[in-house]
Amino acid sequence: LNGLSSGTSLGASDFSMFGVSLALTPKGMEKRDEVLDLVFQWIALIRKEANNDTSQLLSKFHDEICQMNEVGFRFSENGDPTSFCSSAADKLTSIINVGDDPATLLRGSKAEAFSRDAVQDFMGFLRPENALITVNDSGLSSTSTDKSETSAATSEWKEEKWYGAKYRQIVIASDVMEKWNQPPAIDPLLKLPDLNKFIPSDFSLRCEDDDLSKVKADELSPTVVKTAGNSHSSIDADKKDNQRDPPNKVVDQNGLRVWTKMDRTFRVPKTSFAVSITSPKVYQTPRTITLCRLFEKVLGDDLNSLLYDAMSTGSSYSISVTPSGFRYMLGGYSEKIPDLLNTVTSRIVSLIGEMKEGKELHPDLHSKFQKATINLLRQTKNCQLDSPLETANYNGRVLIEESVWHLDNYLDEFVGVGSDDGQDRDSMTMEECAIVVEESIMNGRLATEALVMGNIRNEGALELVEVLQKILFENSPNYRPLSPDENPSFRSLKLPTKEEAKIIFPPSAAVTNGVKDMILETPSAGIPTIYQSVAVNENENNNAIEITMQTGCESQLGYEGIAILQLISHMAYPSAFNQLRTKEQLGYIVSCFLKSTAGGAIALCVDIQSATTLPEVLEERFEAWLVLFREELEMMTPEVIAMEAEAVIAGMQERDQTLSQEISRYWGEILGTQEYVGKKFSEPDFDRIDKLAGVLMCDNSASMSTPSKYDGDSSEKSKPISQPSKKTALDLKHQIIDIFDKYLAISSQDRRVLSARVYGHTSKEMFENNIGKPGFLSSYDDVRQFKQYLSSWPNAPYWGQP
């Protein structure tokens, strides 16, 4: 079983349909008769409880649901206004028709007293004679021999008239219907759940504690410190500015950094606890990261049942594997966060121990591991079937990033799990997985970063961190703090300029008057490097390109260069979309955006996917648009430039609408420093966005322009400016033109550009014609050789500049 859900599958003003959806593994599909038996046994178990007049269990479940709905409504965060208006309009119709209280417009549902009669009536409808069972299975075919009780193999295939989908149907046999109606026995593993221990009851706000004199000064912003102990109005006065106060670093020692911030803006009794454990072990080989991803899947599968009650009360958790280590985020009502943390962390440790003991002692766990392996293999193979544009994006990253494992490296690890390479090697085992994960998350050289934010004080935050350390590290004899020299670091490679590409690629030969001449050439006048591939899916006929124009790295561009590039990207997107999609209609997907690759390299990218135009033609039209865009920039008045800059500034400085948005923003700033060493680089600059916005602010009162940052000789063009002075809109325009001409213009000697082409199968011949030509990379082996010629960009962050 991969997934299970139930609830209203179709609802109208006067009726609803109840549905149960089960996503089965191939093995589960083979045993779907047993699965359906268990579904109807479960329904019979609930029906039996509903008919038991002496039991109050269903009544208590009802009260729990009402309580959770009330708590969820009371402390719900702001959502998307458009979605709210759409759902509200839909509910208004229902309210008018049914005559409900308009309050349900906001609440979404109306709580009423528990009625055993209503439950019994509802359960009376859940009978097999009222059921429509739909089986969707790609393994079914006209030649398949399905011997299931619910098999329609005896019926002819039909084709529905709208979409041409093939189907066949039968009426369930009466003896099967009777068995489902009156199960002869109920599986002893099926039982009704206990009452939910994760329902919160304490909704007090730490920022509104009466005894404010006990609050540490470093927890409060200046307004609250000055008026602490007077009244709650002092906190209300501070509410407006608290969102701009960054988290405080309360611990920084022995490989552990802890950041905390108490919420005074959104005033909800919720807390989030984010943890990142950095380990050089995780991305050491394709095998180690694959084993870590397998553990992530097994743990998620295991926690689904363990934490179902917590999830239903508003708590949340996520655990993920990245090239730098493990990350997990816990969130929910403050009262229950310690229980949630203890449950998740303890299960990580116990699960590692059980996996090390092997399948003989834990056969069920081994089945979960096998299922996770099959699912991960399927997902990895499915990556080959991504859209051409997604493939082009992936190919570009593989070429540009210095240390990155290829998809084929991962597939090589799945020996014996449906792989067909025939080589005799050991497949990944549950025990090996546990050993690798243990070293990567608790018993090796590690660095831990934590952010505790929300309705919690410093002392409460430190207690959570202590729980984490005690469970993960206290009994780990080989745990050591990660030294700076062992910190995982990732870099991007410099794409070659046209002149550099001529040195890398071998010359081609041409015959003139009987004499063989060696000609240095590249694929096109403006794009010296092209990485081409063919879509794996034989039914894929779309072509795609991703053009990557590198503009340098963070440390060279500084705040000023990065801010201006963001402005260029903001103006380039509508221009490219209007010209390449709307006017020329090259493809349905056209996009232009700024991209940062590993180590802080910056590039302006243009994506185009087309079912009618070849990649080489798309590249030609891209170059033509780029010339047109340069003319548009030249024609823009300073006033228009200032308006565009104001739009970018407004987007940068948009206030967080929910506590989770604020937490994500600060956590992102903290995680952004993890791969850097040295105090100057490893400290997050929480004012980074404001500084970027400051670069784009224009002094509209100034009448005289000042020299552009990029005016003068080329030696001055790479010097970053971290504290920009006030400039006019004309100054800003000069800087935009200067950056465009230096990094993007086809005539620039400093232009570093790559085109990642993906051909659809109808264009495969064009791909084959280009194999072996100078400047064309047509296989991953070509890419490996090509990368050995390239140097890497510095990976120092721009916020560390003096």
Side-chain angles (χ1 to χ4, degrees), residues 80-94 104-106:
D80 176 51
T82 304
S83 299
F84 172 77
C85 290
S86 176
S87 62
D90 181 61
K91 291 173 185 175
L92 276 172
T93 305
S94 174
T104 58
L105 177 65
L106 295 176

Side-chain angles (χ1 to χ4, degrees), residues 37 40 49 51 83 85 175 191 202 240 280 302 329 416 428 468 494 546 586 616 671 695 763 767 779 792:
D37 287 347
F40 283 102
E49 182 66 27
N51 294 330
S83 299
C85 290
D175 58 330
K191 62 177 182 177
D202 180 6
K240 195 183 334 183
D302 190 78
M329 171 86 75
M428 293 174 290
L468 177 76
K494 286 185 180 181
E546 178 169 277
L586 295 178
E616 40 268 64
L671 290 178
V695 171
S763 308
F767 163 82
S779 67
S792 59

Side-chain angles (χ1 to χ4, degrees), residues 238 324 385 451 470 561 600 668:
D238 181 63
S324 59
L385 304 178
L451 170 66
K470 183 176 181 180

Side-chain angles (χ1 to χ4, degrees), residues 453-711:
M453 191 167 162
N455 184 46
I456 193 167
R457 293 192 180 283
N458 278 357
E459 52 268 30
L462 293 176
E463 289 173 2
L464 292 179
V465 175
E466 186 178 351
V467 170
L468 177 76
Q469 286 187 297
K470 183 176 181 180
I471 297 175
L472 283 186
F473 307 137
E474 192 172 89
N475 297 316
S476 301
N478 295 323
Y479 165 72
R480 298 290 186 278
L482 188 70
S483 73
D485 294 330
E486 297 172 299
N487 198 53
S489 181
F490 304 94
R491 291 174 178 264
S492 289
L493 300 172
K494 286 185 180 181
L495 292 172
T497 63
K498 184 177 180 180
E499 293 303 315
E500 292 168 348
K502 289 180 178 180
I503 299 173
I504 295 173
F505 295 108
S508 63
V511 177
T512 306
N513 296 324
V515 179
K516 181 178 286 187
D517 298 321
M518 303 309 291
I519 301 175
L520 290 173
E521 61 178 350
T522 54
S524 69
I527 304 176
T529 308
I530 292 176
Y531 181 13
Q532 64 167 10
S533 64
V534 178
V536 174
N537 185 355
E538 294 183 356
N539 297 318
E540 181 61 74
N541 294 320
N542 285 302
N543 304 307
I545 61 169
E546 178 169 277
I547 306 291
T548 302
M549 296 174 284
Q550 286 187 334
T551 56
C553 62
E554 292 182 352
S555 60
Q556 293 180 355
L557 293 166
Y559 281 99
E560 183 118 343
I562 291 174
I564 293 171
L565 281 169
Q566 289 188 357
L567 177 57
I568 291 175
S569 173
H570 169 77
M571 294 186 291
Y573 174 77
S575 174
F577 190 88
N578 181 56
Q579 180 64 31
L580 301 176
R581 183 183 184 278
T582 306
K583 292 182 178 180
E584 300 187 28
Q585 298 188 6
L586 295 178
Y588 188 77
I589 301 176
V590 174
S591 183
C592 181
F593 54 95
L594 202 64
K595 179 168 73 173
S596 177
T597 52
I602 308 295
L604 185 69
C605 295
V606 175
D607 287 352
I608 309 175
Q609 181 167 295
S610 174
T612 60
T613 309
L614 291 171
E616 40 268 64
V617 179
L618 295 177
E619 290 166 2
E620 292 174 3
R621 301 316 307 153
F622 153 76
E623 294 286 16
W625 162 75
L626 204 59
V627 172
L628 178 65
F629 179 53
R630 173 63 169 79
E631 295 172 357
E632 292 174 358
L633 293 175
E634 192 70 57
M635 295 294 292
M636 284 185 184
T637 64
E639 291 75 19
V640 172
I641 293 289
M643 289 176 58
E644 297 286 358
E646 288 172 1
V648 175
I649 292 170
M652 288 178 174
Q653 297 185 330
E654 183 178 0
R655 292 181 65 85
D656 300 313
Q657 299 301 308
T658 63
L659 176 60
S660 58
Q661 287 180 356
E662 184 181 356
I663 292 169
S664 295
R665 176 167 59 87
Y666 283 127
W667 185 230
E669 295 292 340
I670 293 169
L671 290 178
T673 67
Q674 280 193 313
E675 67 177 276
Y676 304 113
V677 297
K679 186 171 183 180
K680 184 172 72 171
F681 291 163
S682 61
E683 289 296 318
D685 187 350
F686 293 113
D687 295 327
R688 180 181 61 87
I689 298 298
D690 290 334
K691 291 177 182 177
L692 287 173
V695 171
L696 301 179
M697 291 181 179
C698 299
D699 184 359
N700 296 324
S701 63
S703 59
M704 300 293 292
S705 70
T706 57
S708 163
K709 169 193 165 201
Y710 292 102
D711 288 346

Side-chain angles (χ1 to χ4, degrees), residues 314-330:
S315 295
S316 62
Y317 78 94
S318 64
I319 298 173
S320 60
V321 177
T322 70
S324 59
F326 279 83
R327 293 175 186 170
Y328 63 98
M329 171 86 75
L330 308 177

Side-chain angles (χ1 to χ4, degrees), residues 757-795:
R757 294 180 183 178
V758 178
Y759 289 88
H761 269 263
T762 54
S763 308
K764 186 177 180 180
E765 184 178 352
M766 299 299 296
F767 163 82
E768 293 172 345
N769 291 339
N770 292 326
I771 295 175
K773 289 183 178 180
F776 282 90
L777 308 171
S778 305
S779 67
Y780 182 52
D781 189 59
D782 290 348
V783 171
R784 276 194 292 246
Q785 295 179 49
F786 174 73
K787 291 172 73 170
Q788 296 179 69
Y789 288 98
L790 306 183
S791 60
S792 59
W793 291 101
N795 68 338

